[in-house]
């Protein structure tokens, strides 16, 4: 499943080494692989067919640069095409109307409309200093209004109360009136999740749209959606004049082929991407990165961002200070480092994000360093007293025995950890003295030590 | 309402309307329109040829069967065509139905809470899969069969998740154990204690939605499971993973990840109505088989029903429009 497209093409490509040009013949099999890869990434079949014929057109006749294999050249074409398809006109939220600018949120059940409403509200409030009001027209699902009220409170935007007994149209009218009279810049109208084939519900949202005349009508869609994304998107697009799409749950491990399907079918820009449950988890959409993700080529930029997100800035600063001074690096810091790594999804998570070739290399180099071993190290440190953690040299035979029992491991494991720590400490010292070469050697030693 | 149980026991066709089969058919109308629409044309052809098989491949792929399961189904079909010398596409349809029924057959294992007391269920899934709604419907289901139920509001994270479950509890007249905030494991522990004290048959523990990539949250749910074990040594007796049928091939990754963290023992497939998808079940059957306990084919409270492989396969490839 996680087979990387480049790798798969590599297998096919072995037969066409040394061909200088991509031709109809030599790419047929590769195109089949690409088709499979796209299907596995949940891109809808009609979209895949379309896309493949486009790629064929573009690719045939392309010169293969000497530094590239034909497979790489083809992947390049595919990547470019994907990026282009998902890019297009620059997005952003359009608020250029007489306030209040109404934003209508639509989508399937469980797509993430309410959470996205709060995220986007917070974004507009903080980035563009808008006065934002949110109202829920979801009178069907239990506690949906309550949910918007809570998240709106967390996001620091105002909430217009509604009741399950009311009609959505009445709620919307009252909210609009309230927004006008209190000079709100933006009014978010959250709606109930609905299936595109549910005619009564689709009629309701159409009526709501006609009544409110929103400047933005955003389609919220789950990045994990499968083949049906294409039908859903088409139905919503036919029923409502959508102005943009928001992709949610992008922090999952789905390849997100739905993005391409939706974009292709609606022709509407992908404006934002939702990542994580926190209300700050909203990003502008990056077509290039999405293309890499769909192709399973690793998301290095995402990795960097995730590192920034999960690393505690203050702690990092403190740590850098310690590094500079070259002393005071103790087992507490050691443990912090491990915790940081865990937060970023552990070694396994990191390896997954790397492009396949690097990932395989890293596995070879340090593959034995399993997450389990790291957990064990953490356990050992947890069994030490605070004093021992800050002064590891205290730990002698009897303390070692106690720690080993506490962590449920053999004494040898404690010894190994202390050795590793000593090496790391040495490395830190060298680092502070600027002995880069030495450090690299020390690092190699540590890798072996951990094995 | 329980007509299909009668049918199972006595073998008499259901007289009360609308029967489960009918509802399943109605719910899968879209899937059938999608598959059947093209298949109708396909099977209406005069003979089996390469073109037909290729069309069939596309159709299966579009039903979210996934590349692996589709290729397997097609390979099997080709084998049968050669072996049994199939000639008409109508025969092919029957073979396809049988194949799918055989593939899905092992997944058909109904859930029986009778053996344990209290029977403890944990419900997990990604965000927006329909966990809380499924619990509400399941509570009704168990009550209908004479089991008493208590719900544990283990989703302490999402806004108003507790209120949502309370509302379901109120509708079904079921006690909901909830705390102001705090640790989901503690809520579940409380609920098990309460169930024991009151002699209640079934405990259903809701959990917050989480994506398998959020490792700390996966660890949290593993802890909930450990705490359940502590409160009831044999428990949890059932770990249900709720899957949204709209989700594509990521469903398999989800099953694997949750299975690794909490040992999934059964699946609930929601939102099967109105989507073109039943195919993801085939992908699951091929790549990570887990019993499918219930499937949801509608928004009504009775539309969550035990999974029946043969009927499902038949309904998927039905030719005549639903009655």
């Amino acid at each position: 499943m996680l087979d990387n497209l480049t790798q798969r093409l590599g297998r096919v490509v072995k037969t066409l080494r040394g061909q200088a040009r991509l031709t109809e013949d030599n790419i047929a099999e590769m195109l089949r692989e690409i088709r499979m890869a796209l299907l596995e990434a949940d891109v809808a079949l009609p979209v895949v067919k379309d896309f493949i014929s486009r790629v064929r057109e573009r690719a045939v006749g392309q010169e293969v640069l000497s530094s590239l294999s034909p497979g790489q050249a083809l992947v390049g074409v595919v990547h470019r095409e994907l990026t282009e398809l998902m890019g297009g006109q620059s997005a952003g939220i359009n608020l250029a109307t007489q306030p209040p600018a109404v934003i209508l949120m639509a989508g399937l059940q469980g797509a993430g409309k309410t959470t996205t409403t709060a995220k986007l509200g917070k974004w507009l409030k903080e980035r563009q200093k808008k006065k934002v009001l949110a109202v829920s027209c979801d009178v069907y699902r239990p506690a949906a209004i309550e949910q918007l009220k809570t998240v709106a409170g967390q996001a620091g935007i105002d909430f217009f109360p509604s009741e399950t007994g009311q009609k959505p149209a009445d709620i919307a009218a009252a909210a609009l009136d309230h927004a006008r009279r209190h000079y709100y810049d933006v009014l978010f109208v959250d709606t109930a999740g609905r299936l595109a084939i549910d005619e009564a519900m689709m009629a309701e949202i159409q009526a709501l749209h006609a009544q409110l005349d929103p400047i933005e009508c955003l389609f919220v869609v789950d990045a994990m959606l499968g083949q049906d994304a294409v039908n859903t998107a088409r139905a919503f697009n036919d029923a409502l004049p959508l102005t943009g799409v928001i992709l949610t749950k992008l922090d999952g491990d789905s390849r997100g082929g739905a993005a391409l399907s939706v974009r292709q079918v609606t022709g509407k820009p992908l404006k934002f991407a939702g990542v994580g449950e926190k209300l700050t988890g909203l990003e502008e959409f990056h077509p290039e990165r999405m293309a890499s993700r769909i192709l399973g080529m690793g998301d290095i930029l995402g990795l960097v961002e995730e590192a920034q997100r999960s690393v505690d800035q203050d702690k990092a600063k403190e740590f850098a200070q310690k590094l500079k001074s070259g002393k005071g690096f103790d087992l507490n810091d050691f443990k912090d480092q491990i915790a940081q790594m865990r937060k970023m999804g552990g070694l396994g998570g990191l390896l997954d994000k790397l492009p396949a070739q690097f990932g395989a290399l890293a596995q070879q180099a340090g593959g034995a360093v399993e997450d389990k071993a790291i957990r064990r190290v953490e356990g050992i440190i947890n069994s030490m007293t605070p004093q021992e953690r800050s002064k590891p040299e205290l730990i002698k035979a009897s303390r070692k025995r106690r720690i080993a029992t506490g962590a449920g491991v053999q004494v040898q494991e404690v010894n190994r950890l202390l050795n590793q720590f000593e090496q790391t400490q040495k490395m830190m010292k060298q680092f502070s003295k600027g002995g880069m070469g030495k450090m690299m050697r020390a690092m190699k030693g540590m890798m072996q030590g951990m094995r | 309402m329980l007509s299909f149980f009668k049918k199972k026991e006595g073998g008499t066709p259901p007289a009360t309307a609308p029967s489960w089969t009918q509802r399943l058919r109605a719910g899968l109308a879209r899937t059938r329109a999608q598959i059947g629409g093209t298949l109708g044309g396909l099977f209406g052809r005069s003979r089996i040829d390469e073109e037909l098989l290729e069309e069939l491949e596309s159709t299966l792929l579009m039903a979210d069967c996934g590349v692996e399961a589709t290729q397997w189904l097609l390979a099997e079909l080709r084998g049968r065509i050669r072996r049994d010398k199939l000639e008409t596409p109508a025969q092919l349809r029957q073979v396809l139905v049988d194949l799918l029924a055989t593939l899905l057959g092992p997944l058909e294992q109904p859930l029986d809470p009778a053996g344990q007391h209290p029977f403890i269920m944990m419900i997990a899934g990604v965000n927006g899969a329909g966990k809380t709604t499924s619990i509400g419907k399941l509570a009704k289901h168990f009550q209908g069969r004479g089991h008493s139920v208590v719900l544990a509001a283990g989703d302490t994270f999402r806004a108003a998740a507790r209120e949502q479950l309370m509302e379901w509890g109120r509708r079904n007249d079921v006690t909901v154990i909830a705390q102001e905030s705090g640790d989901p494991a503690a809520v579940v522990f409380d609920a098990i204690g309460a169930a024991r004290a009151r002699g209640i048959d079934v405990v259903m523990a809701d959990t917050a939605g989480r994506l398998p990539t959020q490792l700390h949250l996966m660890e949290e749910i593993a802890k909930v499971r450990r705490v359940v074990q502590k409160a009831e040594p044999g428990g949890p007796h059932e770990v249900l993973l709720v899957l949204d049928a709209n989700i594509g091939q990521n469903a398999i990754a989800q099953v694997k990840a949750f299975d690794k963290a909490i040992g999934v023992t059964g699946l609930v497939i929601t939102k099967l109505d109105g989507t073109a998808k039943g195919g993801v079940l085939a992908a699951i059957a091929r790549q990570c088989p887990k019993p499918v306990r219930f499937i949801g084919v509608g928004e009504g409270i009775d539309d969550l029903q035990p999974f029946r492989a043969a009927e499902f396969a038949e309904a998927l490839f039905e030719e005549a429009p639903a009655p």
Side-chain angles (χ1 to χ4, degrees):
Chain A
M1 256 272 289
L2 290 169
D3 245 7
N4 173 287
L5 180 62
T6 323
Q7 271 179 347
R8 300 174 69 171
L9 287 181
R11 260 177 265 141
V12 183
V13 158
K14 279 194 184 119
T15 54
L16 33 116
R17 277 263 162 74
Q19 302 197 17
R21 208 177 264 278
L22 294 175
T23 66
E24 192 86 45
D25 290 339
N26 63 20
I27 64 171
E29 204 175 334
M30 287 199 281
L31 284 178
R32 195 175 159 72
E33 288 290 324
I34 293 173
R35 176 167 175 260
M36 288 301 166
L38 290 177
L39 284 170
E40 272 174 6
D42 286 325
V43 181
L45 188 66
V47 178
V48 172
K49 282 186 173 160
D50 236 38
F51 181 74
I52 293 291
S53 63
R54 267 183 74 145
V55 169
R56 184 181 292 126
E57 243 168 64
R58 293 285 169 99
V60 170
Q62 277 237 345
E63 303 279 334
V64 176
L65 293 174
S66 55
S67 58
L68 292 177
S69 69
Q72 285 167 329
L74 190 61
V75 170
V77 174
V78 171
H79 191 263
R80 262 203 312 282
E81 282 296 300
L82 271 180
T83 311
E84 202 175 297
L85 260 183
M86 285 186 295
Q89 67 256 59
S90 80
I93 293 283
N94 179 12
L95 300 174
T97 180
Q98 190 184 359
V102 179
I103 301 179
L104 187 66
M105 310 292 276
L108 295 176
Q109 290 97 333
K113 288 174 298 301
T114 306
T115 309
T116 308
T117 302
K119 283 178 177 178
L120 198 55
K122 187 179 167 74
W123 193 84
L124 283 175
K125 179 175 182 257
E126 287 174 1
R127 302 276 181 93
Q128 305 196 4
K129 304 274 174 272
K130 298 291 180 198
K131 191 175 172 193
V132 181
L133 182 70
V135 64
S136 172
C137 289
D138 187 352
V139 294
Y140 307 98
R141 206 196 67 189
I145 297 173
E146 191 70 18
Q147 186 190 353
L148 183 66
K149 184 179 174 185
T150 314
V151 288
Q154 285 166 0
I157 59 177
D158 293 327
F159 169 76
F160 184 79
S162 48
E163 294 284 334
T164 47
Q166 289 172 289
K167 285 202 190 89
D170 296 342
I171 298 174
L176 189 60
D177 185 51
H178 180 86
R180 279 213 188 96
R181 274 193 285 129
H182 293 82
Y183 307 107
Y184 279 95
D185 299 314
V186 182
L187 169 66
F188 277 100
V189 181
D190 185 21
T191 62
R194 62 202 70 218
L195 291 169
I197 52 156
D198 191 335
E199 279 166 28
M201 290 294 279
M202 289 311 274
E204 180 203 280
I205 200 165
Q206 274 174 319
L208 214 52
H209 186 278
Q211 177 195 348
L212 290 166
D213 191 24
I215 182 149
E216 286 275 8
C217 179
L218 297 175
F219 180 46
V220 181
V221 57
D222 187 333
M224 294 184 289
L225 221 54
Q227 294 284 325
D228 204 40
V230 70
N231 297 323
T232 311
R234 186 177 295 130
F236 270 91
N237 195 40
D238 289 349
L240 291 169
L242 302 176
T243 59
V245 177
I246 297 183
L247 215 55
T248 60
K249 303 180 207 170
L250 253 187
D251 51 333
D253 55 2
S254 73
R255 303 268 279 278
L260 187 64
S261 311
V262 172
R263 170 81 176 115
Q264 176 91 337
V265 168
T266 63
K268 301 291 156 41
L270 293 155
K271 296 202 167 188
F272 288 95
V275 282
E277 285 235 332
K278 292 202 185 107
L279 291 176
T280 47
L282 189 73
E283 296 173 346
E284 275 155 72
F285 182 78
H286 302 282
E288 185 158 327
R289 279 159 54 176
M290 197 65 220
S292 301
R293 181 174 178 148
I294 291 178
L295 294 179
M297 282 164 49
D299 184 1
I300 297 222
L301 284 173
L303 187 64
V304 172
E305 268 182 21
E306 188 163 326
Q308 279 170 349
R309 241 203 318 278
S310 51
V311 168
D312 188 332
Q313 289 301 329
D314 291 336
K315 266 198 180 157
K317 241 182 225 164
E318 200 180 299
F319 183 64
Q321 205 61 43
K322 270 192 181 162
L323 267 185
K324 254 187 203 156
S325 65
K327 56 190 167 203
F329 179 78
D330 58 24
L331 277 167
N332 282 317
D333 300 307
F334 198 64
K335 196 181 142 214
D336 278 351
Q337 295 295 303
I338 293 172
Q340 292 274 11
M341 204 148 87
R342 285 269 291 281
K343 247 199 235 164
M344 285 171 56
L347 272 182
L350 287 178
L351 290 181
D352 272 355
K353 285 220 172 60
L354 290 172
Q357 297 96 320
F358 289 129
L361 270 182
Q363 290 248 308
Q364 277 167 14
V369 193
E370 288 151 27
D371 286 345
K372 221 174 177 179
I374 292 176
R375 263 213 304 274
R376 198 174 298 152
V377 167
E378 211 176 0
I380 296 174
I381 300 181
N382 281 339
S383 306
M384 298 176 183
T385 64
Q387 206 189 4
E388 285 165 353
R389 285 182 216 177
S390 53
K391 279 191 184 162
E393 57 274 17
L394 281 178
I395 303 174
K396 296 282 184 293
S398 103
R399 285 184 194 252
K400 275 179 194 166
R401 266 201 304 280
R402 193 206 76 237
I403 292 166
T405 332
V409 295
Q410 301 281 313
V411 179
Q412 288 97 307
E413 301 237 17
V414 181
N415 280 331
R416 200 173 305 150
L417 166 72
L418 289 172
N419 267 336
Q420 263 173 42
F421 168 71
E422 233 168 76
Q423 272 167 349
T424 317
Q425 204 176 25
K426 243 186 241 161
M427 192 174 85
M428 295 297 173
K429 271 183 195 152
Q430 277 159 356
F431 183 71
S432 65
K433 284 178 201 149
M436 204 58 184
K438 268 189 206 161
M439 195 184 88
M440 290 315 282
R441 244 171 286 144
M443 192 120 98
K444 230 168 144 191
M446 192 176 93
M447 280 287 200
Q448 272 149 10
M450 279 180 107
R451 218 170 281 176
Chain B
M1 215 100 326
L2 296 171
S3 51
F4 62 98
F5 289 116
K6 284 184 207 140
K7 188 176 141 195
K8 200 176 177 185
E9 287 154 14
T12 46
T16 46
S19 81
W20 161 234
T21 321
Q22 278 167 340
R23 242 192 274 129
L24 177 68
R25 282 205 193 111
L28 289 174
R30 246 308 268 309
T31 313
R32 219 176 29 250
Q34 178 77 29
I35 297 187
T38 25
L39 284 191
L42 276 180
F43 294 135
R45 290 184 195 209
S46 54
R47 56 195 190 83
I48 302 171
D49 52 16
E50 228 7 72
E51 201 184 330
L52 184 144
L53 288 174
E54 208 153 287
E55 283 277 304
L56 190 60
E57 180 184 31
S58 308
T59 321
L60 289 172
L61 283 173
M62 279 202 290
D64 268 338
C65 288
V67 173
E68 209 269 353
T70 302
Q71 283 175 344
W72 182 83
L73 277 172
L74 277 181
E76 289 282 306
L77 267 185
R78 278 177 208 272
R80 291 285 184 88
I81 293 171
R82 228 173 296 126
R83 202 186 69 199
D84 301 344
K85 308 223 166 28
L86 299 180
E87 276 166 8
T88 65
Q91 288 172 320
L92 192 65
R93 189 192 83 89
Q94 195 48 49
V95 172
L96 187 60
V97 170
D98 291 347
L99 258 182
L100 204 61
T102 330
L103 179 62
L104 298 178
L107 303 189
E108 180 186 323
Q109 292 173 29
L111 187 61
D112 184 19
Q116 305 288 340
H117 196 89
F119 188 80
I120 300 165
M121 295 166 65
M122 246 177 95
I123 287 89
V126 299
N127 315 63
K131 287 175 295 302
T132 310
T133 309
S134 296
I135 289 176
K137 291 179 180 174
L138 282 175
K140 178 85 189 298
H141 172 87
F142 285 125
Q143 278 182 320
R145 303 178 70 180
H147 300 294
S148 55
V149 178
V150 66
L151 307 180
D155 186 350
T156 51
F157 180 81
R158 203 200 70 194
R162 198 161 47 98
E163 284 76 2
Q164 191 185 347
L165 196 68
M166 298 269 224
E167 175 62 27
W168 277 112
R170 203 183 51 74
R171 283 188 200 176
N172 294 341
D173 202 14
V174 166
T175 319
V176 179
I177 307 287
Q179 291 176 354
E180 263 315 308
S181 63
D183 189 25
V187 180
V188 177
F189 190 89
D190 268 9
I192 294 171
R196 224 182 263 127
R198 299 178 203 180
I200 282 169
D201 303 325
V202 179
V203 182
M204 280 195 272
D206 194 12
T207 59
R210 63 202 74 220
L211 295 173
T213 44
Q214 295 162 329
L215 284 201
H216 57 292
L217 292 180
M218 293 307 277
E219 265 170 39
E220 180 196 87
I221 200 168
K223 177 187 166 191
V224 174
R225 191 197 154 92
R226 286 198 300 275
V227 168
V228 170
Q229 244 158 2
K230 213 173 269 177
E232 173 76 36
H237 306 104
E238 179 74 12
V239 179
L240 282 179
L241 177 65
V242 180
L243 284 177
D244 182 340
N246 288 300
I247 280 174
Q249 299 310 304
N250 192 240
I252 291 153
Q254 283 175 25
V255 175
K256 286 183 179 158
F258 276 100
D259 190 33
K260 199 173 141 207
I262 51 172
V264 174
T265 59
L267 305 176
V268 176
I269 315 287
T270 59
K271 308 183 206 173
L272 260 172
D273 55 326
T275 93
K277 312 307 148 216
V280 73
L281 280 177
I284 289 171
R286 284 291 299 161
Q287 292 178 33
C288 45
K290 289 279 170 195
V292 177
R293 306 293 196 190
F294 294 90
I295 60 177
V297 290
E299 298 207 321
I301 195 162
D302 296 314
D303 285 336
L304 192 69
Q305 293 286 353
F307 172 68
R308 309 270 281 276
E311 284 173 24
F312 183 81
E314 187 63 45
L316 214 53
F317 292 107
E318 186 95 1
E319 275 172 310

